[in-house]
Amino acid sequence: MSFRPDNHNENEEFSPLFMAGLMIRPLPRAPLNLLLQYTADHIQKSHPAILTRLEQIAGTVFLIQPTDFPHDIRLTIQKNHVSCQIEDEFMGLADVTICGPLLSLMDMMDGKLDGDALFFSRHLTIEGDTAALLTLRNAVDSDDIDLWAEIIASFGLLAGPAKAVLNLGDHLYQSLSRNMGLIGRAITLPLSKRCEGLEHDNQNLRNRLDHLDKMLTKTQNRLQSLSRKTKI
Amino acid sequence: MTKLDLICPAGTPAALRVAVDEGADAVYLGFRDETNARNFPGLNFSVDELAEGLDYAHGQGAKVLLAVNTYAAAGRGQPWINAVDNAAKLNVDAIILADIGLLDYAARTHPGLRLHLSVQASASNAAAINHYVKEFGIRRVVLPRVLTLPEIQGINQKIDIETEVFAFGGMCPMAEGRCSLSSYITGKSPNMNGVCSPASHVSYVQQGQDLKTNLADFTINKFGPREQAGYPTLCKGRFTANEETGYLFEEPTSLNVTRIIPELMEAGVSALKIEGRQRSKAYVRQVVANFRKAIDAAARGERLVIDMDNLSEGGKNTTGAYRKKWM
Ligand code: SF4
């Protein structure tokens, strides 16, 4: 399962995920938090070596700010455990803040995208403790995590139906991704047409002002030469 | 001309598996300590992980080279000795060393162990290389990234061992093993601590649309909103002098030799090395797969140029000193 268009959307914030986010926003946080923590627990159980690599940054708090998702996610590294929760009004100071499109962040975790490449191309911004971030990245990258399989497995007995729902979601996502550009343009076209019109009017006004400016300079010059002649 | 060996980086066990699956002839890796020149947090292998990696690679016909390529610290050389002993115990296919004391120890204590001379030794002429051959019996030398194609050819005509050259990844424009820029402002260098511009001293600051990259609280570069970013290494810093701002040594860019593989074969090179043990397995997957294709094409007498600008620092590639001499 990929949940990701073949090509990254130019305007990544206007993605199917962004639309889904609008629907997710009013949902209660408790089930989302449960899902996040179950997934995190499942990953820790099936990839214990990752925890060993994370030991040296125990106590570090990461704040993940997806640019196209309505919630921030707080990741706290503890000794032998990682907690993962939704965090919208984080009052404390995060040691590291990571900001980027959610799907890119997930693909990075899945080992499909290179984090440095995302950073070079400015799709990812990071602030704070760089060494802690590198430790997290290297630890997660050190084993083969299939994120979608982990999410499905975290549903336990409901894994079967969850897989069906996620497959349907993937199908919807793929077709929405294909149509998103079209939808985006349909929404923004009238606005950009209006902007183009305004720019055109602006240019006309600038041209007329330039013309008036030149006329004024000419008139001033003529007046000056006339006044000189009268004095003579 | 024999086919080139593809030597690939593995910072983690998962990257090792990816490299082998994508067609690496050999992977190189290091232990999780200061004995190797990529001593980054969360990276590298424990002894057990190396044993598992060896099983996996050998099972698929690939070799494993262990890099113990920093210089042993004065008065506390035990971690380096342990690394060499573990390499011999686990039967790695070769060990990559730079320190002459360690080369001597390895050659005397483990005569069956194949020795490669690390780029960190900075052996850039035939006389130096032949000295390492005579004294320690090295079988391959990794050449510094400062040599031109004719210089490499000249060296190969005067030595009897294999040469390995860098093919892709981060550029180190200074003579390797001799750059102290990083230690001037962080106190840590690749030669002694295994890190250039260590992450503990790096910070990124977003200023509106601009990105400031700092090393030990010095601003090394500032990238505008649409500019591709790079790491804050001093050699690729943008500095202002005499009211002019620009790159002093090198701009953020990465090496890519796919367009000159036939010339490298002509120059007598035996192996191409991909840099990047500190990069992700996604990087390893893409670069190894592309180089596998390019090397196989070169063996058939074809030239396959593959751009991988998306993976490169600054979004740019160069053939580096192989075609240009800037020092
Ligand atoms: S400062 Fe530049 S040249 Fe020096 S070791 Fe670091 S990357 Fe290489």
Side-chain angles (χ1 to χ4, degrees):
Chain A
M1 184 174 300
S2 73
F3 260 98
R4 177 172 169 255
D6 294 338
N7 294 311
H8 274 234
N9 197 339
E10 265 293 287
N11 181 4
E12 273 157 333
E13 265 143 52
F14 193 73
S15 67
L17 205 73
F18 172 74
M19 305 297 273
L22 293 179
M23 291 184 265
I24 288 171
R25 188 189 288 273
L27 292 181
R29 287 202 219 152
L32 274 175
N33 271 334
L34 265 183
L35 177 66
L36 276 175
Q37 194 55 57
Y38 277 164
T39 307
D41 288 346
H42 200 269
I43 293 174
Q44 293 166 61
K45 227 168 105 190
S46 43
H47 306 276
I50 292 179
L51 283 179
T52 317
R53 288 181 192 259
L54 288 175
E55 266 168 17
Q56 51 184 309
I57 55 163
T60 308
V61 177
F62 292 85
L63 188 66
I64 301 166
Q65 299 184 310
T67 49
D68 50 2
F69 196 67
H71 301 294
D72 292 349
I73 297 161
R74 176 165 48 91
L75 206 65
T76 310
I77 315 291
Q78 292 144 353
K79 206 166 184 304
N80 300 325
H81 188 248
V82 174
S83 76
C84 186
Q85 294 289 287
I86 278 178
E87 187 61 77
D88 290 335
E89 291 113 29
F90 189 47
M91 301 310 279
L93 270 184
D95 298 294
V96 188
T97 307
I98 308 166
C99 188
L102 184 63
L103 292 174
S104 301
L105 295 169
M106 290 168 87
D107 277 353
M108 218 169 80
M109 198 166 164
D110 244 353
K112 292 196 192 90
L113 273 183
D114 178 57
D116 293 36
L118 285 173
F119 166 74
F120 296 151
S121 63
R122 313 285 295 275
H123 284 89
L124 193 73
T125 46
I126 41 184
E127 283 194 74
D129 184 342
T130 317
L133 175 73
L134 215 61
T135 313
L136 175 70
R137 198 283 308 268
N138 291 336
V140 170
D141 210 56
S142 69
D143 215 339
D144 299 311
I145 300 177
D146 180 342
L147 197 52
W148 289 106
E150 299 286 353
I151 292 174
I152 289 164
S154 70
F155 280 91
L157 288 175
L158 293 175
K163 190 173 180 186
V165 172
L166 284 172
N167 275 338
L168 181 69
D170 187 36
H171 184 72
L172 267 174
Y173 183 87
Q174 298 300 338
S175 67
L176 264 176
S177 289
R178 282 192 289 277
N179 294 324
M180 224 52 201
L182 217 61
I183 298 168
R185 276 195 296 282
I187 294 172
T188 55
L189 201 62
L191 189 65
S192 61
K193 276 241 164 82
R194 210 170 125 67
C195 286
E196 275 170 29
L198 283 174
E199 177 56 29
H200 189 252
D201 289 351
N202 251 340
Q203 193 56 45
N204 276 345
L205 284 173
R206 271 199 294 270
N207 290 347
R208 287 183 66 186
L209 264 178
D210 281 350
H211 184 65
L212 286 173
D213 234 17
K214 277 178 199 152
M215 299 264 288
L216 187 67
T217 323
K218 268 188 193 165
T219 319
Q220 277 171 339
N221 289 345
R222 283 177 71 185
L223 277 175
Q224 274 172 3
S225 81
L226 270 176
S227 79
R228 272 200 299 273
K229 275 181 193 161
T230 350
K231 275 180 195 157
I232 294 163
Chain B
M1 270 183 291
T2 49
K3 196 171 167 182
L4 291 166
D5 260 0
L6 178 57
I7 316 295
C8 303
T12 62
L16 176 143
R17 292 191 289 273
V18 166
V20 170
D21 293 350
E22 295 298 335
D25 294 309
V27 288
Y28 66 101
L29 49 85
F31 283 129
R32 211 179 297 164
D33 58 25
E34 59 193 325
T35 61
N36 87 89
R38 285 291 182 275
N39 182 21
F40 287 66
L43 209 64
N44 298 317
F45 287 67
S46 65
V47 176
D48 289 345
E49 285 168 341
L50 172 58
E52 283 166 23
L54 274 160
D55 282 349
Y56 189 85
H58 288 168
Q60 308 217 33
K63 294 185 170 132
V64 175
L65 321 178
L66 181 77
V68 184
N69 55 349
T70 47
Y71 289 86
R76 48 173 199 93
Q78 203 53 45
W80 284 266
I81 298 288
N82 293 347
V84 173
D85 290 344
N86 279 324
K89 195 172 80 194
L90 293 175
N91 275 327
V92 299
D93 297 285
I95 183 163
I96 309 168
L97 298 171
D99 185 314
I100 53 166
L102 278 183
L103 278 158
D104 185 62
Y105 173 79
R108 284 167 195 268
T109 323
H110 307 291
L113 190 56
R114 183 180 159 103
L115 305 182
H116 290 186
L117 188 65
S118 166
V119 69
Q120 289 295 105
S122 205
S124 49
N125 58 64
I129 297 164
N130 282 331
H131 179 74
Y132 284 102
V133 177
K134 188 169 144 253
E135 294 300 323
F136 312 114
I138 60 159
R139 310 274 290 279
R140 180 183 289 181
V141 55
V142 185
L143 293 176
R145 276 163 276 197
V146 293
L147 297 169
T148 62
L149 276 169
E151 284 167 344
I152 293 172
Q153 187 153 27
I155 288 173
N156 272 324
Q157 283 161 357
K158 292 184 202 129
I159 62 171
D160 277 334
I161 58 162
E162 298 168 353
T163 49
E164 181 176 309
V165 298
F166 278 91
F168 190 89
M171 289 288 293
C172 226
M174 313 300 170
E176 274 119 330
R178 293 179 191 167
C179 176
S180 297
L181 280 177
S182 172
S183 32
Y184 284 137
I185 62 171
T186 68
K188 291 192 170 182
S189 77
N191 316 323
M192 303 308 294
N193 312 91
V195 272
C196 165
S197 317
S200 51
H201 291 66
V202 167
S203 64
Y204 299 108
V205 182
Q206 203 65 39
Q207 282 188 331
Q209 293 287 298
D210 292 341
L211 171 70
K212 243 171 66 173
T213 61
N214 298 338
L215 185 64
D217 291 334
F218 292 99
T219 298
I220 303 299
N221 212 334
K222 186 171 170 183
F223 298 94
R226 294 197 178 280
E227 245 185 316
Q228 291 269 328
Y231 305 119
T233 45
L234 267 175
C235 61
K236 299 186 193 85
R238 193 154 31 178
F239 304 102
T240 303
N242 299 331
E243 284 161 36
E244 255 183 62
T245 303
Y247 291 103
L248 199 56
F249 305 107
E250 178 71 298
E251 55 189 39
T253 184
S254 291
L255 184 70
N256 181 359
V257 304
T258 54
R259 66 185 65 242
I260 56 163
I261 290 179
E263 285 79 1
L264 287 164
M265 290 169 79
E266 195 95 357
V269 166
S270 303
L272 294 187
K273 179 174 216 142
I274 312 288
E275 186 272 347
R277 278 187 282 151
Q278 75 286 11
R279 297 287 292 265
S280 67
K281 55 182 182 263
Y283 164 95
V284 172
R285 185 178 298 114
Q286 189 182 339
V287 182
V288 176
N290 283 338
F291 265 89
R292 184 69 277 157
K293 280 188 227 149
I295 287 176
D296 291 349
R300 293 192 301 269
E302 298 161 19
R303 189 186 296 268
L304 198 62
V305 178
I306 307 177
D307 278 332
M308 285 167 268
D309 292 358
N310 65 315
L311 293 173
S312 300
E313 214 182 335
K316 277 182 257 165
N317 280 309
T318 171
T319 48
Y322 299 129
R323 281 202 159 150
K324 162 184 142 189
K325 205 170 178 182
W326 63 79
M327 287 194 295

